[in-house]
PDB file of all heavy atoms in Angstrom:
ATOM      1  N   TYR A  35      83.472 114.100  84.300  1.00 96.00           N
ATOM      2  CA  TYR A  35      83.011 112.794  84.731  1.00 96.00           C
ATOM      3  C   TYR A  35      82.049 112.992  85.898  1.00 96.00           C
ATOM      4  O   TYR A  35      82.106 113.991  86.615  1.00 96.00           O
ATOM      5  CB  TYR A  35      84.183 111.922  85.211  1.00 96.00           C
ATOM      6  CG  TYR A  35      84.983 111.259  84.109  1.00 96.00           C
ATOM      7  CD1 TYR A  35      85.955 111.977  83.399  1.00 96.00           C
ATOM      8  CD2 TYR A  35      84.786 109.918  83.784  1.00 96.00           C
ATOM      9  CE1 TYR A  35      86.695 111.367  82.396  1.00 96.00           C
ATOM     10  CE2 TYR A  35      85.528 109.298  82.791  1.00 96.00           C
ATOM     11  CZ  TYR A  35      86.473 110.027  82.101  1.00 96.00           C
ATOM     12  OH  TYR A  35      87.211 109.425  81.107  1.00 96.00           O
ATOM     13  N   GLN A  37      80.614 110.850  89.387  1.00 96.00           N
ATOM     14  CA  GLN A  37      80.886 109.683  90.219  1.00 96.00           C
ATOM     15  C   GLN A  37      79.899 109.618  91.371  1.00 96.00           C
ATOM     16  O   GLN A  37      79.722 110.594  92.103  1.00 96.00           O
ATOM     17  CB  GLN A  37      82.324 109.731  90.758  1.00 96.00           C
ATOM     18  CG  GLN A  37      82.731 108.462  91.496  1.00 96.00           C
ATOM     19  CD  GLN A  37      84.185 108.483  91.925  1.00 96.00           C
ATOM     20  OE1 GLN A  37      84.765 109.531  92.125  1.00 96.00           O
ATOM     21  NE2 GLN A  37      84.788 107.310  92.047  1.00 96.00           N
ATOM     22  N   GLY A  42      82.892 103.849  89.932  1.00 94.00           N
ATOM     23  CA  GLY A  42      83.968 104.570  89.286  1.00 94.00           C
ATOM     24  C   GLY A  42      83.432 105.786  88.566  1.00 94.00           C
ATOM     25  O   GLY A  42      82.217 105.915  88.366  1.00 94.00           O
ATOM     26  N   PHE A  45      82.048 108.768  82.330  1.00 92.00           N
ATOM     27  CA  PHE A  45      82.341 109.811  81.367  1.00 92.00           C
ATOM     28  C   PHE A  45      81.085 110.584  80.984  1.00 92.00           C
ATOM     29  O   PHE A  45      80.036 109.997  80.729  1.00 92.00           O
ATOM     30  CB  PHE A  45      82.954 109.177  80.114  1.00 92.00           C
ATOM     31  CG  PHE A  45      83.097 110.102  78.947  1.00 92.00           C
ATOM     32  CD1 PHE A  45      84.121 111.030  78.920  1.00 92.00           C
ATOM     33  CD2 PHE A  45      82.203 110.051  77.885  1.00 92.00           C
ATOM     34  CE1 PHE A  45      84.262 111.891  77.849  1.00 92.00           C
ATOM     35  CE2 PHE A  45      82.333 110.906  76.814  1.00 92.00           C
ATOM     36  CZ  PHE A  45      83.373 111.830  76.787  1.00 92.00           C
ATOM     37  N   TYR A  48      83.780 115.613  76.648  1.00 91.00           N
ATOM     38  CA  TYR A  48      85.196 115.859  76.394  1.00 91.00           C
ATOM     39  C   TYR A  48      85.366 117.039  75.448  1.00 91.00           C
ATOM     40  O   TYR A  48      84.617 117.173  74.478  1.00 91.00           O
ATOM     41  CB  TYR A  48      85.785 114.588  75.792  1.00 91.00           C
ATOM     42  CG  TYR A  48      87.005 114.759  74.914  1.00 91.00           C
ATOM     43  CD1 TYR A  48      88.208 115.191  75.446  1.00 91.00           C
ATOM     44  CD2 TYR A  48      86.942 114.447  73.564  1.00 91.00           C
ATOM     45  CE1 TYR A  48      89.324 115.317  74.642  1.00 91.00           C
ATOM     46  CE2 TYR A  48      88.051 114.578  72.753  1.00 91.00           C
ATOM     47  CZ  TYR A  48      89.248 115.015  73.283  1.00 91.00           C
ATOM     48  OH  TYR A  48      90.351 115.143  72.493  1.00 91.00           O
ATOM     49  N   GLY A  99      98.355 111.449  76.294  1.00 60.00           N
ATOM     50  CA  GLY A  99      99.659 111.008  76.754  1.00 60.00           C
ATOM     51  C   GLY A  99      99.610 109.810  77.657  1.00 60.00           C
ATOM     52  O   GLY A  99      98.566 109.241  77.946  1.00 60.00           O
ATOM     53  N   TYR A 103      95.119 111.326  83.317  1.00 88.00           N
ATOM     54  CA  TYR A 103      94.442 112.589  83.522  1.00 88.00           C
ATOM     55  C   TYR A 103      94.845 113.171  84.873  1.00 88.00           C
ATOM     56  O   TYR A 103      95.136 112.430  85.815  1.00 88.00           O
ATOM     57  CB  TYR A 103      92.924 112.390  83.568  1.00 88.00           C
ATOM     58  CG  TYR A 103      92.287 111.847  82.324  1.00 88.00           C
ATOM     59  CD1 TYR A 103      90.985 111.351  82.369  1.00 88.00           C
ATOM     60  CD2 TYR A 103      92.939 111.830  81.097  1.00 88.00           C
ATOM     61  CE1 TYR A 103      90.357 110.855  81.246  1.00 88.00           C
ATOM     62  CE2 TYR A 103      92.322 111.336  79.969  1.00 88.00           C
ATOM     63  CZ  TYR A 103      91.034 110.855  80.053  1.00 88.00           C
ATOM     64  OH  TYR A 103      90.403 110.363  78.934  1.00 88.00           O
ATOM     65  N   GLY A 106      90.534 117.318  89.096  1.00 95.00           N
ATOM     66  CA  GLY A 106      90.249 118.298  90.120  1.00 95.00           C
ATOM     67  C   GLY A 106      89.634 117.615  91.326  1.00 95.00           C
ATOM     68  O   GLY A 106      89.360 116.408  91.312  1.00 95.00           O
TER      69      GLY A 106
ATOM     70  N   TYR B  35      94.453 104.198  88.908  1.00 96.00           N
ATOM     71  CA  TYR B  35      94.337 105.404  89.715  1.00 96.00           C
ATOM     72  C   TYR B  35      94.074 105.003  91.163  1.00 96.00           C
ATOM     73  O   TYR B  35      93.437 103.979  91.435  1.00 96.00           O
ATOM     74  CB  TYR B  35      93.161 106.278  89.243  1.00 96.00           C
ATOM     75  CG  TYR B  35      93.405 107.025  87.956  1.00 96.00           C
ATOM     76  CD1 TYR B  35      93.249 106.389  86.730  1.00 96.00           C
ATOM     77  CD2 TYR B  35      93.787 108.356  87.971  1.00 96.00           C
ATOM     78  CE1 TYR B  35      93.461 107.064  85.548  1.00 96.00           C
ATOM     79  CE2 TYR B  35      94.005 109.044  86.784  1.00 96.00           C
ATOM     80  CZ  TYR B  35      93.841 108.391  85.584  1.00 96.00           C
ATOM     81  OH  TYR B  35      94.059 109.066  84.408  1.00 96.00           O
ATOM     82  N   GLN B  37      92.270 106.435  94.687  1.00 96.00           N
ATOM     83  CA  GLN B  37      91.312 107.446  95.140  1.00 96.00           C
ATOM     84  C   GLN B  37      91.021 107.254  96.621  1.00 96.00           C
ATOM     85  O   GLN B  37      90.408 106.255  97.020  1.00 96.00           O
ATOM     86  CB  GLN B  37      90.018 107.377  94.331  1.00 96.00           C
ATOM     87  CG  GLN B  37      89.042 108.507  94.656  1.00 96.00           C
ATOM     88  CD  GLN B  37      87.811 108.515  93.772  1.00 96.00           C
ATOM     89  OE1 GLN B  37      87.385 107.480  93.273  1.00 96.00           O
ATOM     90  NE2 GLN B  37      87.226 109.692  93.560  1.00 96.00           N
ATOM     91  N   ALA B  42      89.817 113.317  94.858  1.00 90.00           N
ATOM     92  CA  ALA B  42      89.862 113.013  93.435  1.00 90.00           C
ATOM     93  C   ALA B  42      90.807 111.838  93.164  1.00 90.00           C
ATOM     94  O   ALA B  42      91.732 111.588  93.926  1.00 90.00           O
ATOM     95  CB  ALA B  42      90.333 114.239  92.659  1.00 90.00           C
ATOM     96  N   TYR B  48     100.515 103.391  83.998  1.00 91.00           N
ATOM     97  CA  TYR B  48      99.959 103.255  82.651  1.00 91.00           C
ATOM     98  C   TYR B  48     100.654 102.101  81.944  1.00 91.00           C
ATOM     99  O   TYR B  48     101.884 101.965  82.019  1.00 91.00           O
ATOM    100  CB  TYR B  48     100.181 104.551  81.872  1.00 91.00           C
ATOM    101  CG  TYR B  48      99.896 104.463  80.388  1.00 91.00           C
ATOM    102  CD1 TYR B  48      98.585 104.498  79.929  1.00 91.00           C
ATOM    103  CD2 TYR B  48     100.918 104.363  79.458  1.00 91.00           C
ATOM    104  CE1 TYR B  48      98.311 104.425  78.574  1.00 91.00           C
ATOM    105  CE2 TYR B  48     100.654 104.292  78.101  1.00 91.00           C
ATOM    106  CZ  TYR B  48      99.347 104.333  77.659  1.00 91.00           C
ATOM    107  OH  TYR B  48      99.082 104.269  76.317  1.00 91.00           O
ATOM    108  N   ARG B  91      91.551 102.620  78.046  1.00 91.00           N
ATOM    109  CA  ARG B  91      91.386 103.563  76.936  1.00 91.00           C
ATOM    110  C   ARG B  91      91.087 102.773  75.672  1.00 91.00           C
ATOM    111  O   ARG B  91      91.774 101.803  75.348  1.00 91.00           O
ATOM    112  CB  ARG B  91      92.637 104.417  76.752  1.00 91.00           C
ATOM    113  CG  ARG B  91      92.486 105.481  75.675  1.00 91.00           C
ATOM    114  CD  ARG B  91      93.528 106.561  75.819  1.00 91.00           C
ATOM    115  NE  ARG B  91      94.871 106.073  75.564  1.00 91.00           N
ATOM    116  CZ  ARG B  91      95.972 106.742  75.918  1.00 91.00           C
ATOM    117  NH1 ARG B  91      95.864 107.909  76.520  1.00 91.00           N
ATOM    118  NH2 ARG B  91      97.152 106.248  75.638  1.00 91.00           N
ATOM    119  N   TYR B  97      88.358 109.962  68.798  1.00 68.00           N
ATOM    120  CA  TYR B  97      88.465 110.200  70.234  1.00 68.00           C
ATOM    121  C   TYR B  97      88.809 108.903  70.944  1.00 68.00           C
ATOM    122  O   TYR B  97      88.235 107.862  70.668  1.00 68.00           O
ATOM    123  CB  TYR B  97      87.152 110.748  70.771  1.00 68.00           C
ATOM    124  CG  TYR B  97      87.065 110.752  72.266  1.00 68.00           C
ATOM    125  CD1 TYR B  97      87.991 111.459  73.029  1.00 68.00           C
ATOM    126  CD2 TYR B  97      86.083 110.028  72.922  1.00 68.00           C
ATOM    127  CE1 TYR B  97      87.927 111.447  74.407  1.00 68.00           C
ATOM    128  CE2 TYR B  97      86.015 110.025  74.303  1.00 68.00           C
ATOM    129  CZ  TYR B  97      86.940 110.736  75.039  1.00 68.00           C
ATOM    130  OH  TYR B  97      86.869 110.727  76.394  1.00 68.00           O
ATOM    131  N   VAL B 100      88.249 106.931  77.675  1.00 88.00           N
ATOM    132  CA  VAL B 100      88.726 106.229  78.868  1.00 88.00           C
ATOM    133  C   VAL B 100      87.532 105.877  79.739  1.00 88.00           C
ATOM    134  O   VAL B 100      86.761 106.756  80.128  1.00 88.00           O
ATOM    135  CB  VAL B 100      89.735 107.086  79.653  1.00 88.00           C
ATOM    136  CG1 VAL B 100      90.119 106.389  80.955  1.00 88.00           C
ATOM    137  CG2 VAL B 100      90.983 107.339  78.809  1.00 88.00           C
ATOM    138  N   GLY B 103      86.625 101.342  85.766  1.00 95.00           N
ATOM    139  CA  GLY B 103      85.935 100.304  86.501  1.00 95.00           C
ATOM    140  C   GLY B 103      85.334 100.875  87.780  1.00 95.00           C
ATOM    141  O   GLY B 103      85.509 102.060  88.088  1.00 95.00           O
TER     142      GLY B 103
END
Side-chain angles (χ1 to χ4, degrees):
Chain A
Y35 280 80
Q37 187 175 26
F45 170 77
Y48 154 67
Y103 298 165
Chain B
Y35 286 81
Q37 186 175 28
Y48 169 78
R91 184 162 67 196
Y97 168 59
V100 175

